[in-house]
Amino acid sequence: MQTLIENVNIINPLEDIKTNQNVLMEGNVIKEISSSGIKADNVIDGEDNYLLPGFIDCHAHIFAKGFHKEENMANPLGLHFYNAVPHSLQTINAGVTTIRDCGSADLSFKLAQEKKLFTAPKIHLSITPLVMTGGHFDLFLPSGWDMEIIYPGFPKGRCDGVEEVLKKTREVKRAGADFIKVMASGGVLTTNSSPEFAQFNKKELKTIVREADANDMKVSAHCHSLKGMNNCIDAGFSSIEHGTFIDRKTSKRMVEKDVSLVPTLLVHQFLAKNGFPAWDSYAQEKTDKLKEIVKVHKENISVAYEEGVNILMGTDSGVFPHGHNLEELVHLTDIGMSEDEAIASGTVNAAEFLGFDNLGLVKENYVADLILVNSNPLDDVSVLSDNDNILKVIQDGIEVKH
């Protein structure tokens, strides 16, 4: 089927705006772009608005709803899956057509999205993160209760030593992972660990990378710790998530080794401002950690940007409510990026990192994942943070937000 979007201004990051354009989609790809008239049976009037590539959130948790262990204990397992339906719609309505899920989603979601069983972003899966005993996301509580969700096809992430991390990497791949996620430092929201400390040793980290490389898979590190980041760089990781305590020397090493950074600036600031549920018995401890981290995180990511680290847009959605994804772009401009650069971090650069050479631009023969916006985000990228300004979302050539 052919669909024509006429009378739009095309914004591709780091390129001049193309005004008064007509974009013909055939199937799931962009067939033709022209300022001249194009005929098609199905026509969408763009009304002189702005057409951009759909965004890619490089750090999301589509199944998650705050990672509240108390809810996991009380709710039936089925609710864990059903939550993904509204979360997916919120993500699409925010202008995100693809996500890189950094833990909790499984192969069933990817297959359901491909079958169009419900409106959802495309997904790049890590299944579950690898975590050492006592590390970030080890959900075995002092009470003796293990709060990690587990079911057939979704392996436990806990592992220690070279042999266990090797086997766990293989188990996660077997479960359908597109990449491997590793908890390489403590976390802000984990009560039994601190973000300053590295987790897993170098032998374990290198074993994970060697096995992933053998299967042409990238390895990503949740990592706040400076030592942890350097351990991961030495081991051959492809990306660092969060990077809170990064410094100038480590930033330079990341550039040299072609390691990308997904800073997730929004999540810390959102939670510091909005807090946690009243029934969360660890709320005060988490809030105290966040207050210390927000300022230093922003300052350090600014240094990474100055040193030329490849920064990708990611939000950690699921730790906080879904649907706020493009607010991250405002925080990226706050650390020094231009509007163009911020948009590129969530479109063409993100697509390249994920291995796609036909995604992330409004271009002929590229996948027709597009958003129509009522204002020019190159003048003020914050217009993208208001979902009402995103008039339409198109995924694989089909309108999924009208």
Side-chain angles (χ1 to χ4, degrees):
M1 187 181 86
Q2 289 189 332
T3 299
L4 176 68
I5 309 173
E6 60 181 11
N7 188 23
V8 292
N9 306 301
I10 295 175
I11 294 180
N12 281 319
L14 310 178
E15 297 180 10
D16 292 335
I17 296 178
K18 294 180 179 177
T19 60
N20 193 28
Q21 298 292 301
N22 304 303
V23 178
L24 179 66
M25 301 176 292
E26 184 171 284
N28 71 332
V29 299
I30 299 170
K31 184 176 178 63
E32 183 181 354
I33 299 174
S34 176
S35 57
S36 303
I38 302 175
K39 291 185 177 180
D41 293 332
N42 186 34
V43 179
I44 298 170
D45 185 357
E47 298 181 343
D48 200 33
N49 288 304
Y50 296 84
L51 191 70
L52 286 78
F55 278 83
I56 300 169
D57 187 334
C58 286
H59 192 122
H61 302 278
I62 200 68
F63 278 19
K65 194 176 182 181
F67 288 105
H68 299 302
K69 293 183 284 291
E70 295 86 347
E71 290 188 343
N72 291 346
M73 183 169 62
N75 292 334
L77 178 61
L79 200 58
H80 179 62
F81 301 93
Y82 288 124
N83 280 333
V85 177
H87 296 170
S88 295
L89 188 59
Q90 290 163 340
T91 303
I92 286 287
N93 287 342
V96 173
T97 50
T98 300
I99 60 171
R100 175 173 170 258
D101 193 277
C102 286
S104 77
D106 68 1
L107 186 58
S108 69
F109 182 94
K110 187 172 187 176
L111 296 176
Q113 190 282 324
E114 289 173 351
K115 293 176 182 293
K116 309 297 184 187
L117 298 184
F118 55 94
T119 300
K122 300 170 186 176
I123 194 166
H124 203 69
L125 285 169
S126 67
I127 307 294
T128 192
L130 276 57
V131 51
M132 73 177 199
T133 296
H136 178 54
F137 221 69
D138 179 358
L139 302 181
F140 191 94
L141 303 182
S143 63
W145 288 100
D146 189 346
M147 304 306 299
E148 186 173 1
I149 291 176
I150 183 170
Y151 51 88
F154 193 84
K156 262 187 183 298
R158 192 184 303 126
C159 51
D160 300 284
V162 167
E163 290 186 3
E164 284 192 11
V165 300
L166 175 61
K167 184 175 183 180
K168 193 60 62 176
T169 302
R170 290 172 176 172
E171 286 182 2
V172 170
K173 178 187 179 296
R174 180 178 65 187
D178 299 302
F179 71 104
I180 304 298
K181 167 82 176 298
V182 181
M183 298 305 200
S185 84
V188 177
L189 304 182
T190 301
T191 54
N192 64 343
S193 69
S194 175
E196 292 94 340
F197 299 123
Q199 297 183 353
F200 286 112
N201 61 45
K202 284 190 179 182
K203 285 185 178 180
E204 292 168 321
L205 297 173
K206 288 179 179 178
T207 299
I208 295 165
V209 171
R210 276 198 301 270
E211 183 61 23
D213 282 348
N215 294 281
D216 197 25
M217 299 170 75
K218 291 183 176 180
V219 185
S220 159
H222 156 100
C223 199
H224 299 279
S225 159
L226 188 60
K227 182 179 180 182
M229 282 183 258
N230 281 286
N231 287 346
C232 292
I233 295 167
D234 290 341
F237 277 54
S238 296
S239 71
I240 302 293
E241 316 292 310
H242 315 305
T244 300
F245 298 111
I246 195 169
D247 63 7
R248 198 169 295 278
K249 182 178 179 181
T250 303
S251 298
K252 290 177 178 177
R253 292 195 69 215
M254 289 180 68
V255 174
E256 291 169 4
K257 300 291 187 179
D258 192 26
V259 182
S260 297
L261 175 63
V262 187
T264 66
L265 292 156
L266 172 60
V267 60
H268 293 154
Q269 300 196 38
F270 189 99
L271 292 175
K273 179 180 178 181
N274 295 284
F276 300 90
W279 48 261
D280 187 338
S281 55
Y282 297 105
Q284 190 58 52
E285 182 179 344
K286 294 175 184 177
T287 301
D288 291 343
K289 279 188 186 179
L290 282 167
K291 287 178 181 177
E292 296 176 11
I293 278 175
V294 166
K295 184 173 183 290
V296 69
H297 191 198
K298 179 179 176 181
E299 292 172 350
N300 291 343
I301 300 303
S302 297
V303 169
Y305 168 70
E306 290 169 6
E307 291 299 330
V309 175
N310 183 37
I311 293 176
L312 303 173
M313 188 197 85
T315 62
D316 225 352
S317 291
V319 176
F320 66 102
H322 297 269
H324 297 270
N325 307 67
L326 299 193
E327 291 179 28
E328 180 73 17
L329 299 173
V330 177
H331 296 291
L332 291 175
T333 58
D334 285 346
I335 59 101
M337 296 179 85
S338 68
E339 269 77 2
D340 248 347
E341 289 173 323
I343 291 169
S345 76
T347 54
V348 62
N349 292 351
E352 182 181 353
F353 177 79
L354 294 183
F356 298 109
D357 60 4
N358 63 344
L359 189 67
L361 292 172
V362 185
K363 188 175 179 180
E364 290 178 0
N365 300 316
Y366 270 53
V367 174
D369 289 356
L370 308 165
I371 64 172
L372 190 67
V373 182
N374 64 7
S375 303
N376 184 356
L378 296 179
D379 293 335
D380 181 3
V381 79
S382 70
V383 301
L384 295 171
S385 65
D386 184 345
N387 294 351
D388 289 340
N389 293 333
I390 299 171
L391 306 175
K392 294 182 184 295
V393 177
I394 294 166
Q395 185 187 58
D396 284 330
I398 298 169
E399 279 191 74
V400 290
K401 177 182 180 180
H402 304 273

